[in-house]
Amino acid sequence: DGGITQSPKYLFRKEGQNVTLSCEQNLNHDAMYWYRQDPGQGLRLIYYSQIVNDFQKGDIAEGYSVSREKKESFPLTVTSAQKNPTAFYLCASALYPLEVGTEAFFGQGTRLTVV
Amino acid sequence: GESVGLHLPTLSVQEGDNSIINCAYSNSASDYFIWYKQESGKGPQFIIDIRSNMDKRQGQRVTVLLNKTVKHLSLQIAATQPGDSAVYFCAESRGAGNMLTFGGGTRLMVKP
């Protein structure tokens, strides 16, 4: 089935460790996005990518890094520089440019907890 | 800064009534808007979208209205059902690179 897959669903990290969240899509979408969601809050954009080997910072990129080596993959690394990484992370993909009828699809999220 | 926001954090409606969820945006350059529904612990689910050259768009039981004069977006849900209970977000596409940003969300609670 076509879709967007995030893994793992739950992730625990010790303080000071880097951790990478996976996002894969087989929808042939050009654009991919990473968002962070804190409890009871909205989605805040971390990074987005329009095309392979290119990505832009969103509103809260500090402490995060991404790569886009393949069209179908957009992994997010939460580095030790991110002081409050515990959150729900959501990945999305969409055709570029966004148009009526070309919706952005979301994965089911990864819940990251620092222990 | 420029942002997308919502007027009401929580909306409670009776089952069978119509619901209206509102959203204000401040970036007049935004040209594409989307409504999403998010259930607890899940990723957002697309509901309906609209471009800035449109005033209204209808889907199944849902209608999105766009008022560019006052920079206001609304989602109307007809005959609200218990399954509609969720958090609803509006999002806007802005910038040359299709940057997609979200508002703070409104929780819809449907009373039986």
Side-chain angles (χ1 to χ4, degrees), chain A residues 13-26:
Chain A
R13 189 194 92 172
K14 292 182 180 180
E15 284 191 27
Q17 287 183 337
N18 292 355
V19 63
T20 297
L21 282 59
S22 171
C23 180
E24 303 277 334
Q25 53 96 2
N26 60 3

Side-chain angles (χ1 to χ4, degrees), chain A residues 33 35 37 98 100-101 103-104, chain B residues 36 38 46 49 57 96 98 100:
Chain A
Y33 308 82
Y35 294 89
Q37 186 174 33
L98 281 168
V100 167
E103 60 184 270
Chain B
Y36 283 94
Q38 186 179 29
F46 173 91
D49 55 3
R57 193 157 185 257
N98 258 84
L100 187 62

Side-chain angles (χ1 to χ4, degrees), chain A residues 67-85:
Chain A
S67 62
R68 188 83 187 278
E69 298 177 0
K70 298 186 295 183
K71 188 176 185 178
E72 59 269 24
S73 179
F74 192 40
L76 173 74
T77 297
V78 184
T79 74
S80 58
Q82 171 50 238
K83 298 307 178 187
N84 186 22

Side-chain angles (χ1 to χ4, degrees), chain B residues 32-105:
Chain B
Y32 178 66
F33 304 88
I34 314 171
W35 280 102
Y36 283 94
K37 172 186 179 182
Q38 186 179 29
E39 296 174 325
S40 181
K42 296 183 178 180
Q45 180 182 7
F46 173 91
I47 301 173
I48 193 167
D49 55 3
I50 191 168
R51 283 205 66 84
S52 58
N53 61 354
M54 305 166 75
D55 297 322
K56 178 180 179 178
R57 193 157 185 257
Q58 288 184 293
Q60 188 175 16
R61 276 202 312 120
V62 294
T63 301
V64 54
L65 298 176
L66 177 62
N67 186 331
K68 295 180 287 295
T69 302
V70 295
K71 299 190 185 74
H72 185 267
L73 191 70
S74 68
L75 176 70
Q76 299 178 0
I77 304 174
T80 312
Q81 303 169 359
D84 295 326
S85 294
V87 177
Y88 289 80
F89 294 97
C90 64
E92 64 174 326
S93 177
R94 59 184 172 96
N98 258 84
M99 189 173 174
L100 187 62
T101 55
F102 282 73

